[in-house]
Amino acid sequence: MTLYQEQNLQVNLEQKDLLRRITNRIRRSLELQEILTTTVAEVRSFLGTERVMIYKFHADDSGQVIAESINDNKLPSLLGLNFPADDIPSHARELFIKSRVRSVVDLDHQQIGQSIVRDLDTGEIVSEDIRYRPIDPCHVEYLKAMGVKSTIVVPVIHQDKLWGLLVSHHSLSRSVSEYEIEVLQMVVEHLSVAIAHSELLAQARDQAEREININRIATLLHSLPAIALQSALETAIAIFGGSGGRLCVRDDSSNFHNSHTRSLSECLKPGNDYVNLYTSGQQPIIPQQTLYAFLEQYSVWQEYYKSGEYDVWAISDIYETPGLRTLQPAFAATKIRSMLMIPLEYRQQLLGYLSIFRDEIDTEKLWAGEFDPDGRQQYPRLSFEVWRESKKAQAPKWTLTEIELAREIGKQFASAIQQYILYQKIQYFNANLEKQVQQRTQQLQQATEQQQILFEVVAKMRESLDLDTIFAASVREMRRSINADRVGIFRFALNSNFNEGKFVSEDVSPDFPSALDAKIHDHCFGEQYATYYAQGRIQAVADIYNAGLQECHIQVLAKYQIRANLVVPLSKGDQLWGLLCIHQCTQTRQWQPSEIQFTTQVAAQLSVAIEQADLLTQTRLQAEQLAQALHNLQQMQIQLIQSEKMSSLGQLVAGIAHEINNPVNFIHGNLNYVNDYAEDLLDMLALYQQHSHDLNPEICERAEAIDLDFLIEDLPKMLHSMQIGTERILQIVLSLRNFSRLDQAEMKPVDIHEGIDNTLLILQYRLKAKPEGCAIQVIKEYTDLPLIECYAGQINQVFMNVLSNAIDALEQQRQSMSQTHIPTITIRTTIGKLPGNIPSVVISIADNGPGISQETINRIFDPFFTTKPVGKGTGLGLSISYQIIVDKHGGVFKCDSRPGFGTEFWIEIPMQQQGYRHN
């Protein structure tokens, strides 16, 4: 081997060793600062220069040294110092971005070299030598002021933008070889990968922290029957790092008493007391002379949101916002400088405002020497001593991430407040209804207690609230007690002006004609007597022919052979309902006061009975209405829980699948290139071993130390295993996305078998063998099916609920069954027909578990019914599944089971839904 070849070999080894160390650091850690610190140390060691640093650009094109390695303090440290944008001209930054120019400076030779990676015109990658030209005198003076005579600058590109620079400084003149430039280029390419990984990590951490914060707020808010608004406010202030905050919400307790619901604007009008205010931390001081007691009563909020679009209002500086001019005196005595106004909107209804305050802050920035941006200054800065730029009372700005978090937190507050309002309304209505029933019952009890029931007829009457039974018993016992010829109860027809009616109950002697159900028309009664009876008059007539009655009225009485009568009005409330009539037909009769009193008492009791019967009818009607309302509420709650659960599950599953999909695609897409590169390197190594018979002992020792033969054999296997692993992850991600089907919330034709398979894939971990038992076997007996029109996400949820229950049953049986018993789930699909000759698809899911009793089957679809231990189930899964299949799809969902022989669920839905049309 020639000396030149040995030198090239040594250079290649050094280059590979450097890249290996940097690559290992990137693999071992995703913390960018740790990677950058290691990189500058390794690069300085490789180049042998006195300072290597990484310079990162800010959004305003200024920059800061964020990582640095210095050799024995031969050059002053620049770590943490900022440099103005003018230090690197815009044309230089443009070259760095477009052509990836690497810059090399040698002050002793007054030259600056550029190594172009990409052609400016064609964009193609080119490999050229370093091109030198005379260096600008201003640049020379600039570097001399820094004590530097030679530099190397390589741009760091991230997402086609200039992220920063890798810079090497040396106090002596130094030549730079092309291979050093190439090595530095490979280093910055690795840094670009590390930066991308670091940003992904930062995004994941931000997302996780955001979910944690939202969950903290949700836990405090959704805690019925109470709602921790004060604690939730304090938590929200802490999340945003605020100094104070306030929560102003509409007080809906005053709206329960009337049908008119006040809007938030009405509640906030001066003089009204229809809002609840919660405060924490530092607060603005409302002047005493103002008309407004609350900050939220100022018209600025109504003006800002008058369009009806209630979005977060991020106010970075209260004193720089013209619309807040009237409010600025309230903040003048505080250090509050910025404010986040979060409107609480629920279904286009404004419930209140959540405000977060931040105090003004003091900032400091270290600059590398004071710089005069005056264009007349043609010489570099005269000193690189640190210049500390301090800014007092700065307004902290709200980031886009904080604004988005504020929107989510605002939704949580609005949803919880509305839920709490609905809960309070239900409690109020329930309490009010119970109070009304109690009051009415008490009145009836008092009326009943005042009546002294002394006769058997009263006892008979109290045995039943059925009017026919009461009337029949009353007239029978009264006729027997009074010894009258006829006792009847006459009821007036509605809207007849008391001119018409009929006997609804009667007990009559067999010697006289019955008046039961006979329609009686008596205009004389309505015109002459009805008013008196309505006023409580009692008529006792010993002889109808000598009582001064109207002839027309006598004719009606004579038709039923009446000679004497005793008539007492029956009322329902304040209205005349009918008459209690006692007739003597054989002869005249003088009615005794005891008989009149007894009849009056019975009539009073009959009036009470009529009222009670009417009340019972109303109570039953109200009970039916209440039961129906409760049923509707339960259905609404179940649907709300199902909607939120499926939305949250779909968003979570789709979000996880999306977040996994990007990095896995990146890894999977690059494995082919890595495999090709590995094969090329192994081929190159084999060729090198074939033609190099006399290897250097150090190389042999190194090959033995790393077990080169095993590495050559194992590396392709490892890459193949990684390829299989990433393909498996991609399949799982696809299954998760298909299961969630966020893009298929509407009804559309879907493959039922695909939904079942995706559900099984998600539940695969529960089907595998466990220490307490063998794996669960799944038998699929599929029939060729067409695409079925349905709500895919909801049908998948049904499959998930049924299969999860089957797995739970088999897992409970594992320990008690013999080893020969193989837990099995059998899934069959067939084509069937629903009533009305409607084509359908039938999915049967059966297990050979312990089975369930008939009593449990009768309640298995009831909401909140579960046989699982506390904490293991909510009792909503099968109830929701029943609604999805029967109510949403018009299908059949039933269960058949025998204890000891397993359970089978039968799912049948139409192939086409009514009203659905293909687009």
Side-chain angles (χ1 to χ4, degrees), residues 14-304:
E14 291 177 357
Q15 174 181 338
K16 291 179 179 178
D17 192 46
L18 172 65
L19 294 177
R20 179 182 59 79
R21 292 197 299 271
I22 294 176
T23 303
N24 287 340
R25 173 58 65 183
I26 293 176
R27 288 177 178 174
R28 285 198 301 267
S29 174
L30 285 177
E31 299 298 334
L32 183 60
Q33 188 59 45
E34 184 179 346
I35 294 171
L36 297 180
T37 302
T38 301
T39 300
V40 294
E42 295 289 350
V43 171
R44 191 192 61 74
S45 176
F46 169 73
L47 295 176
T49 55
E50 294 169 351
R51 176 168 58 210
V52 173
M53 64 182 187
I54 292 179
Y55 178 86
K56 181 181 179 182
F57 285 99
H58 299 318
D60 61 354
D61 292 332
S62 65
Q64 183 183 21
V65 177
I66 61 172
E68 180 185 62
S69 176
I70 301 176
N71 183 22
D72 296 333
N73 294 323
K74 292 183 177 180
L75 288 176
S77 175
L78 300 178
L79 184 63
L81 299 186
N82 289 270
F83 291 79
D86 295 343
D87 276 15
I88 301 176
S90 58
H91 68 274
R93 290 194 294 271
E94 186 176 357
L95 287 175
F96 281 139
I97 296 173
K98 290 186 176 180
S99 58
R100 310 297 197 263
V101 167
R102 287 82 59 93
S103 175
V104 178
V105 176
D106 188 345
L107 291 189
D108 284 350
H109 296 85
Q110 298 291 303
Q111 288 184 328
I112 180 171
Q114 292 182 344
S115 174
I116 301 176
V117 178
R118 193 179 300 274
D119 187 88
L120 285 173
D121 297 326
T122 65
E124 296 180 355
I125 297 177
V126 297
S127 177
E128 297 184 359
D129 298 336
I130 301 174
R131 299 178 181 178
Y132 287 94
R133 60 174 175 80
I135 189 172
D136 184 80
C138 184
H139 196 179
V140 172
E141 294 299 326
Y142 184 87
L143 294 178
K144 283 182 178 181
M146 296 180 69
V148 176
K149 285 192 175 181
S150 63
T151 66
I152 306 173
V153 181
V154 181
V156 181
I157 306 298
H158 174 58
Q159 295 181 347
D160 295 328
K161 294 182 180 180
L162 185 59
W163 182 88
L165 303 172
L166 176 62
V167 183
S168 171
H169 287 163
H170 202 60
S171 62
L172 301 175
S173 178
R174 182 184 184 282
S175 61
V176 179
S177 63
E178 293 181 9
Y179 91 89
E180 289 178 328
I181 292 292
E182 293 175 359
V183 170
L184 294 181
Q185 182 62 41
M186 286 187 282
V187 169
V188 298
E189 289 174 357
H190 281 78
L191 284 180
S192 297
V193 175
I195 293 168
H197 288 177
S198 177
E199 288 193 356
L200 287 176
L201 176 63
Q203 291 174 4
R205 286 174 175 172
D206 290 342
Q207 181 66 22
E209 184 178 1
R210 174 180 168 184
E211 294 297 332
I212 291 173
N213 289 330
I214 292 176
N215 288 337
R216 288 170 58 196
I217 294 292
T219 301
L220 292 171
L221 291 174
H222 298 279
S223 55
L224 293 176
I227 180 170
L229 289 177
Q230 183 66 35
S231 299
L233 171 63
E234 294 169 359
T235 303
I237 294 171
I239 289 173
F240 288 102
S243 60
R246 51 199 290 127
L247 175 64
C248 180
V249 295
R250 192 179 65 195
D251 182 8
D252 275 291
S253 61
S254 60
N255 293 329
F256 298 163
H257 306 284
N258 56 73
S259 59
H260 173 67
T261 301
R262 300 180 181 88
S263 65
L264 181 62
S265 298
E266 292 177 315
C267 293
L268 285 173
K269 288 182 179 179
N272 288 343
D273 188 19
Y274 302 135
V275 293
N276 292 326
L277 181 66
Y278 303 85
T279 62
S280 177
Q282 192 167 186
Q283 297 293 315
I285 302 174
I286 305 297
Q288 293 183 354
Q289 63 273 18
T290 183
L291 295 175
Y292 305 121
F294 299 137
L295 181 72
E296 291 76 12
Q297 289 179 319
Y298 282 78
S299 60
V300 61
W301 314 127
Q302 287 75 21
E303 287 296 322
Y304 186 82

Side-chain angles (χ1 to χ4, degrees), residues 337-352:
R337 192 63 179 268
S338 60
M339 178 168 56
L340 197 63
M341 177 58 61
I342 308 171
L344 307 181
E345 179 191 14
Y346 186 84
R347 295 184 178 178
Q348 298 181 343
Q349 184 180 11
L350 189 61
L351 305 180

Side-chain angles (χ1 to χ4, degrees), residues 450-467:
Q450 292 173 357
Q451 299 296 325
Q452 300 297 321
I453 309 303
L454 302 177
F455 305 98
E456 185 180 356
V457 62
V458 177
K460 293 288 185 180
M461 185 180 64
R462 295 183 61 186
E463 290 178 358
S464 172
L465 282 179
D466 180 66
L467 284 181

Side-chain angles (χ1 to χ4, degrees), residues 569-593:
L570 298 176
S571 61
K572 185 178 76 172
D574 296 332
Q575 299 295 324
L576 180 62
W577 182 87
L579 303 172
L580 174 59
C581 303
I582 301 174
H583 297 159
Q584 193 68 32
C585 300
T586 56
Q587 57 188 0
T588 62
R589 179 171 178 171
Q590 295 292 331
W591 303 101
Q592 301 299 319

